[in-house]
Amino acid sequence: MQRRLLVASGIICLILLSAITSHAQYYFGQNKIQYTRFDWQVLTTEHFNIYFYPEEKEIADAAAQLAEESYDFLQEKFNHTIEKKVPFIVYSSPVFFEQTNIIPGLLPENVAGFTEFFKQRVVIPFNGSFADFAKVVRHELVHVFTMQKIAYVAKMHRRTSVATPPLWFTEGLAEYWSDGWDSQADMFMRDMTISGRIVSVDELYSISGTFLMYKVGQSLLKHIGETYGDDKLADLFDNWWKGKTFSDNIRITYGKTLSEIGAEWEYDLKKTYYPYLQDQELPDRIADKLTRDGYNLKPAIFTRNTVDGPKEFIAFKTYRMGYSKIAEMPLEGEKSHFKTLIKGGRSEQFESLHFTESGLDANDDGMLAFASKNQESDALYIYDTDRRKIVNKIKSDSLIAISSPAWSPDGASIVIEGMTRGGRSDLYLVDIESSSFSRLTNDIYTDKNPSFSHDGQFIAFSSDRGISGRNGARNLYLYHLDSGKISGLTSGDHIDSYPQWTKDDKRIVFCSDRAGVMNLFILDRLTESSIVSHQLTNFVTGIFDPVLASSDSSVVFSAYQNFGFHIYKMDLPDSSKYDLDEPVEIADLWNAGETWKMPKLDGQLAQGSAKYKTQLSFDIAQSAVSYDALGGTMGGLQFAMTDILGNHQWYFLLYNTANTKSDFLSSVNFGATYMNKTRRVNFGAGIFHFYNEYAENYYGYVAERTYGGLLAASYPISRYRRLETSLYLRKLEKQSTISNDPARRTNATTGTMTISYIKDTSIWDPTGPIEGTRVNIGMTQSVRLKDLNYYNSTYNVDFRRYFRLGQASAYASRFMYLHSAGQDKQRYYLGGSWSLRGYPRREFYANNMLLVNNEIRFPLVNDLFIGFPFGNMRFQAIRGALFFDVGNSWETNKEMAENPDYGSKGVVGSLGFGIRASLGYVTVLRFDFSRRTDFKSVQNKYDFDFFFGWNF
Amino acid sequence: MELLKKTFSLVILGGVIAAACGCGPSAPIVLKDRPDGCLWNHSGGSPERSSYSDISFSQQPGLLWVRKFKYPLHIEPTGALGFLLISTPDNKLHVVSANNGDIYAEISFKEPVMAPVVISDSMAVLNIGGYRLMVENWVDRQQLWEADLNGAGGEPLVLGDKLIWLDGMGYLRCFDISQGKRIWDRKIDRTVSAPVSGSELGILIFPDDGVLECFDPRSGRLLWSFDTGARIRNAPVIVEDQVIFCSADGQAARVNLVSGQTVWYHDLKLPVYGPIASDGQGVYFGTNNRFIVRLDFETGDIVWKNRIAGPVKAGPALTEQMAVFTSIDFNVYFVDKASGLVKNKFKTDGMISTRPITCQNKIFVVGEDMNLYCFGLPEE
């Protein structure tokens, strides 16, 4: 009986609660907000349906052309033809992409695109760069081909299950066949090899899901492709049905084990990269490393008046503790002083600091300019480093994204890289006083890293407008503020970026990968019409974000080494150390005619476009039948249907709990819910009928039938806060099957209104929240529909706060109060590992509950791998906990209050310690050792409890 | 004569069915005559395996009939005396009439047949599951002998009374085809993707490292080797004492089979994954990057090179006038040999990853859409 209750309740909860909002099913959770309602259209080509909105038609055309080109390329690589048109959903900006309903969860910021498994929808944003877009299109199509090819081969050979490819392989293959080997990939592999920490093929699980895994996978696949031929990779897929595991398939195809191929690859890496150390250096051998922890980028120099006089400080971005920040330190480094200025991802004001994409800049007055996401679009913030507060915030109605601000020398304006709703990335000048935006460039080319000259006449910037820009090359250009003209400073099929002027405006320091990986270069403006560039550094890994300090005598930059980014400082190198390039005439470098065009869709490929029509298709369908010796049989099915964009969602549940044929009709349970997520307010409606028999502490054995309908809505105030409300109209018939007591019988038709306020700023570690706040405050009110008289009500307050003590440690507290009143009260269980520890689960049962938890969480073991006879098990994080819980549960029903089993036992508590072992995304194993207290004495012995589930 | 042929065929059929029932004629039938012009499906490179048939069509052949199977067809069929031997993923080998597609017999195995069946007279050589080499008299269904393949995926080479095989442990083995007695073994210490090929003049191995080796069929002794600088993954073509191959990296070459001397070598930059074909005047192949090509047999120069819609995974079949290509773009292309122009294109419902074969003045194509297609001219 109880098992059926568990299953039935679980199903009901899942279907109803999950249908309301994707976040409500988690009781807390952060919000994905549909700020914008798009007017979707569909462009049909030979192999794709491209979903787009009118503002991004140009991008959609390019996507269609790129997709068809990639299709041809991958058809040859995979030896496979995809018959059904692939759905391709394009967003003109990462900001809009994050609003997609195709997957329910929040998308991390740096996701460049994804391929959804059920309907194999490809969803990608345009980030301003055509070359990046082309790579992502192909990358995602590799996933489509991979999934379809494996499924096809399995079906053709009558295999119901085949080996699953490891993530490093699928992502590595996607990178290999889309990216080409670039300086960034080379940088990662150089560092990994030279640091002596090559991740072998047997250890790839340890970097699963990281960016490093992508590059290591790409390197491995590149080795395999170049050594054995890409045609062999096609053979690998054709052989997929033969082996039980991925390793079997490798052996069958290549005649070697994966470990053997891995060993070849490692040897190849060493042969390739070790010789670099002959002539090149590592950053920490030449420069002073200023930061100690985390990932650190985007330094900016500002001056502060101190007691010792004016002193230079570095503001920079750092990622530590699970979120990004802007921090400051002196030029000597963070060991002498480190202060957090702004926290990103912790509040609505600074929802995302765009850690890798956007730089910082400070002017002579110590005003720091940076961009951050604030609600739907980015805002430009000015932060006073002396007063340590925000002094200005500027937004534009037409710009969805802002990045890399740079001050003008007079401090009256800031040049930014801005992105429009249509996806165009251009330079804009922001007037600080009037908060107005003037557009400087207006074209399809991406313009990045602007930097004002000190005389205020020019802006140097990096752009892909040159002839090689279509392939991702970026060179340096000058914007002439007096005329609006653009002239070239560098050229070539490589990346030049981050220009920084010297104080006399005669030279520009910049980064370039023209010599392999990113190094520091300098441009000397010999005359008005000719320049020459010199290489200043010869690091074996890469350096970025240079900024000049100490009157141009030193340079501060970020560099990659030992799997991390840190800030370094060194004296500006002598430009005569390395070979000189030949001087070039500026006029020869580039002119506005030498550029590339956005590809237009070949007329033969286009089959027309039309307005988007909502058409539902299955996402998932499951059925199950179970038999219980006590409970009897139960069987049912559930399925979900959505449209291509995920905006319209239908959930259906149907099952039967009958024990006999005569009960069949009366035991039908069904639920149907519809959710609309096209707007900021997500709303839904549903109908249901449930019948169940189960055991319950107050009613005893109960037969309960409830049926009715519901309306629900959720309004996200911000990413972190939302309001939810719902209205249920239902008939409830409930009676004890073992007692005729009228008090244990309910027959009511009620209307119930619920309203909740939820806030969640939590950050998690593998075992649960470790920083932030979670709040859920709500109430329900029910009335009898026949006379609108009060029926019952509930109130809940759940307030949780997590105070960070260290990287993996925190003090966590929870205050929870639950109360129910009126007829047919709800009663709450108290006790167990999830609530009041030291007491059995469901020890207390009453209509009032109060619980206070206090816990210190700390790390014990970071990674534990145990080999069992049946296989290996990995515990990613083993944490310890010291806790002290207090609880009380009391009953207002007189009869129950007098029952020793249910009446209040007064305020009780427990203290103890626990161990939590994370099993990845699956669950957490919980081991608690507790001693009870009634606050008069403390129990001598420890009670042990084992359970599972994440920390509160 | 026609009646005699039909009677003879019925006798064979009766033998097959009777054998399936456990009884049949006591002696194998010697099938030296090939009155119907069926192309014996020997492994790549043997002289008969040039894929050229002297079938001539007075006009453009059209679709005559289609036979639906229950499973995708991805193993090349074998033509034998008016029948086609077609294997399917349900571990069966079907004996199908080349006249009308009727299925005369189904032979079941424990594992699927992994490579095209090789016929030598009444003997069928089968790769079962990649683990067993089985030689069976396909007329009376008597299993003659079997051997362990250790995971080999390809087709064997039959030269007269010898059966040559490269097994999954890297051994080149020569057997007496009728008794299964091992004649010689030779260890090949390199990874090989291309099937074994050759003629009485020499057995050719194309390892993945591109060093072509020729062995004496009588003893397995190395006769010569030649660094092709290329990765060959398909069957070359042998015309008399000349062997022509095309590589996955885009090279094409003609080599004297006796001396190993290069006659011509070109870097065409045309990746060829499937087998090639020759009629002694031209060399024909399709490429992975959507080209169909004819080279001049004597010089290796490109005679024509035309683009089609899809990649070509398998080689062409040749008739007097035409080269018939298949593609994973679902199409069968009928190409004029002289000009390279596509005279006709037939769209199937699935990818085609095998060569067409010719039998009884017809062209047969099996597709992954589960269909067997028969093209030819209607009988008057």
Side-chain angles (χ1 to χ4, degrees), chain A residues 787-861:
Chain A
D787 49 22
L788 297 182
N789 278 342
Y790 169 76
Y791 186 69
N792 66 18
S793 53
T794 68
Y795 302 89
N796 69 280
V797 175
D798 187 340
F799 182 89
R800 309 180 193 192
R801 192 89 162 89
Y802 309 94
F803 300 90
R804 199 72 169 270
L805 301 176
Q807 181 71 27
S809 52
Y811 164 63
S813 63
R814 167 167 64 179
F815 172 85
M816 183 188 277
Y817 172 63
L818 303 174
H819 167 71
S820 174
Q823 296 184 55
D824 192 28
K825 296 180 188 44
Q826 188 166 342
R827 289 181 168 85
Y828 309 100
Y829 288 105
L830 184 65
S833 183
W834 290 356
S835 61
L836 183 63
R837 289 164 281 201
Y839 297 84
R841 280 178 61 240
R842 301 156 78 100
E843 169 81 350
F844 306 103
Y845 183 65
N847 66 316
N848 292 278
M849 191 200 88
L850 180 69
L851 174 67
V852 178
N853 302 103
N854 300 277
E855 185 171 283
I856 303 272
R857 297 169 179 170
F858 50 93
L860 287 176
V861 177

Side-chain angles (χ1 to χ4, degrees), chain A residues 543-574:
Chain A
I543 78 170
F544 309 87
D545 314 319
V547 60
L548 294 168
S550 307
S551 302
D552 297 346
S553 64
S554 60
V555 60
V556 174
F557 54 90
S558 62
Y560 183 75
Q561 187 182 339
N562 278 333
F563 300 101
F565 286 92
H566 285 284
I567 307 289
Y568 294 81
K569 179 173 78 81
M570 66 183 194
D571 292 339
L572 194 64
D574 177 6

Side-chain angles (χ1 to χ4, degrees), chain A residues 9-216:
Chain A
S9 302
I11 293 174
I12 293 170
C13 288
L14 183 66
I15 205 69
L16 288 178
L17 293 177
S18 68
I20 293 173
T21 57
S22 59
H23 28 262
Q25 68 180 316
Y26 301 114
Y27 181 68
F28 289 116
Q30 295 179 7
N31 311 313
K32 178 188 290 190
I33 305 177
Q34 284 74 46
Y35 291 103
T36 309
R37 211 166 164 213
F38 301 103
D39 178 20
W40 290 100
Q41 319 281 318
V42 187
L43 168 64
T44 303
T45 65
E46 189 180 348
H47 299 108
F48 299 93
N49 286 326
I50 312 283
Y51 297 83
F52 69 100
Y53 39 93
E55 295 92 317
E56 55 164 2
K57 179 67 167 61
E58 181 182 56
I59 296 171
D61 279 353
Q65 183 68 26
L66 291 169
E68 289 290 341
E69 286 172 5
S70 292
Y71 180 94
D72 285 350
F73 174 84
L74 294 172
Q75 185 187 33
E76 292 168 21
K77 289 293 186 195
F78 279 90
N79 267 328
H80 186 74
T81 297
I82 293 178
E83 210 176 345
K84 217 167 141 203
K85 287 196 201 290
V86 177
F88 218 91
I89 297 100
V90 179
Y91 290 91
S92 56
S93 156
V95 168
F96 295 141
F97 170 70
E98 287 168 14
Q99 299 178 27
T100 185
N101 285 316
I102 289 172
I103 55 168
L106 290 168
L107 280 166
E109 183 171 341
N110 288 330
V111 170
F114 65 86
T115 301
E116 170 270 332
F117 179 77
F118 288 124
K119 295 180 184 167
Q120 291 180 12
R121 294 169 280 192
V122 174
V123 190
I124 52 172
F126 183 74
N127 72 350
S129 161
F130 173 82
D132 288 351
F133 189 60
K135 284 174 192 168
V136 173
V137 165
R138 184 160 299 179
H139 177 110
E140 297 306 327
L141 281 178
V142 171
H143 290 319
V144 174
F145 269 86
T146 300
M147 285 193 269
Q148 295 219 9
K149 176 78 180 191
I150 290 177
Y152 181 84
V153 167
K155 188 175 161 194
M156 200 164 69
H157 293 278
R158 302 169 71 227
R159 294 285 189 267
T160 50
S161 69
V162 289
T164 302
L167 190 61
W168 67 260
F169 174 80
T170 54
E171 295 297 348
L173 183 67
E175 288 288 279
Y176 171 52
W177 277 345
S178 68
D179 213 354
W181 194 251
D182 62 8
S183 62
Q184 184 190 64
D186 213 44
M187 174 183 82
F188 280 96
M189 299 314 298
R190 287 183 185 203
D191 177 63
M192 190 177 78
T193 308
I194 284 168
S195 67
R197 290 156 68 181
I198 295 178
V199 179
S200 70
V201 289
D202 299 320
E203 295 165 336
L204 282 169
Y205 67 87
S206 66
I207 56 168
S208 186
T210 65
F211 187 72
L212 184 62
M213 178 204 74
Y214 281 69
K215 294 294 131 186
V216 169

Side-chain angles (χ1 to χ4, degrees), chain A residues 929-940:
Chain A
F929 300 86
S930 324
R931 290 166 76 171
R932 300 184 199 180
T933 177
D934 57 3
F935 296 97
K936 295 181 188 124
S937 61
V938 178
Q939 180 184 287
N940 274 338

Side-chain angles (χ1 to χ4, degrees), chain A residues 313-353:
Chain A
F313 283 79
I314 302 170
F316 63 103
K317 284 189 177 172
T318 180
Y319 189 94
R320 318 180 176 194
M321 312 287 249
Y323 55 92
S324 61
K325 310 182 196 189
I326 299 174
E328 69 169 46
M329 63 181 170
L331 274 190
E332 302 83 58
E334 72 171 73
K335 67 177 186 291
S336 57
H337 166 75
F338 173 90
K339 179 147 185 68
T340 298
L341 303 181
I342 302 284
K343 286 185 184 180
R346 315 296 308 118
S347 66
E348 288 147 20
Q349 198 181 15
F350 310 115
E351 204 176 296
S352 167
L353 295 176

Side-chain angles (χ1 to χ4, degrees), chain A residues 506-764:
Chain A
K506 287 207 169 77
R507 297 186 300 169
I508 296 174
V509 164
F510 66 102
C511 286
S512 176
D513 67 357
R514 59 183 66 185
V517 288
M518 281 290 187
N519 265 292
L520 203 62
F521 286 71
I522 194 161
L523 268 179
D524 263 315
R525 299 176 77 190
L526 298 175
T527 67
E528 279 302 312
S529 59
S530 71
I531 53 173
V532 66
S533 58
H534 312 276
Q535 184 169 351
L536 294 183
T537 63
N538 199 15
F539 291 130
V540 67
T541 55
I543 78 170
F544 309 87
D545 314 319
V547 60
L548 294 168
S550 307
S551 302
D552 297 346
S553 64
S554 60
V555 60
V556 174
F557 54 90
S558 62
Y560 183 75
Q561 187 182 339
N562 278 333
F563 300 101
F565 286 92
H566 285 284
I567 307 289
Y568 294 81
K569 179 173 78 81
M570 66 183 194
D571 292 339
L572 194 64
D574 177 6
S575 62
S576 65
K577 186 176 179 185
Y578 299 104
D579 293 336
L580 292 180
D581 287 341
E582 293 297 313
V584 288
E585 294 298 316
I586 292 176
D588 294 337
L589 277 166
W590 177 81
N591 69 63
E594 292 169 358
T595 189
W596 54 273
K597 302 273 180 290
M598 193 76 138
K600 290 230 178 303
L601 184 58
D602 183 329
Q604 287 186 325
L605 290 174
Q607 294 176 356
S609 69
K611 201 157 169 57
Y612 172 75
K613 284 189 189 130
T614 301
Q615 279 179 314
L616 298 176
S617 56
F618 280 106
D619 278 42
I620 190 167
Q622 291 177 317
S623 63
V625 176
S626 68
Y627 173 71
D628 180 276
L630 281 177
T633 49
M634 186 169 72
L637 64 97
Q638 60 173 351
F639 57 95
M641 299 176 76
T642 63
D643 65 324
I644 276 286
L645 298 172
N647 290 336
H648 301 274
Q649 302 176 2
W650 284 90
Y651 301 89
F652 298 93
L653 170 71
L654 181 66
Y655 69 97
N656 198 293
T657 57
N659 280 325
T660 63
K661 207 158 66 174
S662 57
D663 287 341
F664 185 82
L665 282 176
S666 61
S667 302
V668 168
N669 290 260
F670 74 86
T673 316
Y674 164 70
M675 280 306 303
N676 182 306
K677 294 190 172 185
T678 53
R679 297 172 175 76
R680 184 167 182 160
V681 174
N682 291 172
F683 63 88
I687 55 172
F688 56 90
H689 172 275
F690 296 114
Y691 175 78
N692 266 308
E693 296 174 9
Y694 56 93
E696 195 259 10
N697 287 47
Y698 178 67
Y699 281 81
Y701 284 102
V702 171
E704 179 183 291
R705 184 184 306 281
T706 177
Y707 52 92
L710 70 105
L711 296 169
S714 170
Y715 175 75
I717 303 165
S718 73
R719 177 183 167 124
Y720 306 105
R721 296 182 296 142
R722 68 177 177 273
L723 288 170
E724 289 180 353
T725 184
S726 62
L727 173 66
Y728 284 82
L729 299 171
R730 64 179 154 183
K731 171 93 174 152
L732 173 66
E733 297 160 0
K734 187 172 168 182
Q735 70 177 68
S736 169
T737 58
I738 57 169
S739 165
N740 286 324
D741 185 351
R744 285 172 167 73
R745 191 183 303 143
T746 301
N747 192 330
T749 306
T750 60
T752 302
M753 177 89 159
T754 75
I755 184 156
S756 304
Y757 168 78
I758 294 119
K759 176 178 177 181
D760 191 339
T761 65
S762 62
I763 294 178
W764 283 49

Side-chain angles (χ1 to χ4, degrees), chain A residues 223-323:
Chain A
H223 167 81
I224 292 172
E226 288 176 355
T227 306
Y228 302 101
D230 275 4
D231 51 291
K232 271 285 213 237
L233 283 166
D235 286 347
L236 175 64
F237 285 104
D238 283 330
N239 290 336
W240 207 270
W241 63 282
K242 293 182 183 174
K244 289 199 174 77
T245 65
F246 173 73
S247 300
D248 285 345
N249 291 331
I250 289 280
R251 185 185 41 75
I252 289 165
T253 306
Y254 291 96
K256 293 179 181 176
T257 64
L258 186 57
S259 296
E260 285 169 339
I261 293 176
E264 285 173 6
W265 163 72
E266 287 185 40
Y267 181 68
D268 233 13
L269 287 178
K270 290 171 187 171
K271 284 197 76 163
T272 303
Y273 294 125
Y274 280 173
Y276 284 140
L277 286 176
Q278 184 80 18
D279 300 315
Q280 294 177 335
E281 295 288 349
L282 287 166
D284 68 358
R285 298 282 169 157
I286 300 290
D288 297 323
K289 187 169 151 197
L290 304 182
T291 49
R292 287 188 299 196
D293 297 318
Y295 297 94
N296 305 275
L297 296 169
K298 313 291 181 196
I301 306 289
F302 65 94
T303 304
R304 178 183 286 145
N305 286 321
T306 68
V307 291
D308 301 317
K311 195 173 173 188
E312 280 182 317
F313 283 79
I314 302 170
F316 63 103
K317 284 189 177 172
T318 180
Y319 189 94
R320 318 180 176 194
M321 312 287 249
Y323 55 92

